[in-house]
Amino acid sequence: MAGALVGFHGVASPQLAALQLTDVRDGRLYLQDRRFPLAGPVLTRLVTYLGHRTKTWPTTRSTHLFTNRKAAPRTTPVSRNFPWVAALLKPQALREDRILREIHATGGDVRRICDLFGLSITAALRYANTLEHPS
């Protein structure tokens, strides 16, 4: 589920750990700096994950979207390293790859990158500079 949010929507690792159950509603994800509809494959994974969460930790008081055996008895978020350590995956690398794919697909639409991923113009321009420009 976390991998899908990063891979499809470029959600940053700290944002994932802070997500609340109420941040997902009506098929949309509401972050502090933006909101957007969730892709179909992400929604499918979300439904599966929420079923697993409810079955595995039926009495948890945690309002965070993501929980695990350590966080479920508390109301604190999971570690920023969850679930990345077990997956042997770096979320920042996955996020950067997603942003690069979007900048190339849009031909360098910096405004779109800022809006989609919550980046500053300076950061979006760094991604846009990866495009090959004819001499």
Side-chain angles (χ1 to χ4, degrees):
M1 176 65 220
L5 285 170
V6 176
F8 278 88
H9 300 294
V11 177
S13 186
Q15 292 172 317
L16 287 173
L19 281 177
Q20 299 286 309
L21 289 166
T22 55
D23 292 335
V24 180
R25 56 188 182 276
D26 302 323
R28 294 180 166 276
L29 180 61
Y30 292 80
L31 299 175
Q32 286 181 324
D33 59 346
R34 58 199 162 108
R35 67 175 183 254
F36 49 87
L38 292 170
V42 176
L43 285 172
T44 301
R45 286 167 178 79
L46 175 65
V47 169
T48 301
Y49 171 74
L50 290 175
H52 166 76
R53 184 185 190 280
T54 300
K55 181 181 172 187
T56 307
W57 301 286
T59 60
T60 185
R61 294 185 348 215
S62 176
T63 59
H64 290 88
L65 177 64
F66 293 107
T67 194
N68 57 22
R69 63 179 177 78
K70 290 182 181 179
R74 304 184 310 256
T75 58
T76 56
V78 293
S79 161
R80 285 178 54 183
N81 295 324
F82 174 83
W84 311 112
V85 171
L88 300 175
L89 183 65
K90 296 196 182 303
Q92 185 60 28
L94 186 59
R95 175 177 160 82
E96 289 171 1
D97 182 61
R98 174 66 183 97
I99 295 168
L100 282 169
R101 281 185 286 147
E102 192 66 30
I103 200 78
H104 286 264
T106 63
D109 187 340
V110 172
R111 173 63 190 248
R112 180 175 172 89
I113 299 308
C114 292
D115 292 345
L116 281 176
F117 302 107
L119 294 177
S120 68
I121 292 171
T122 303
L125 284 170
R126 284 195 304 267
Y127 286 100
N129 286 335
T130 66
L131 292 172
E132 290 184 25
H133 297 286
S135 308

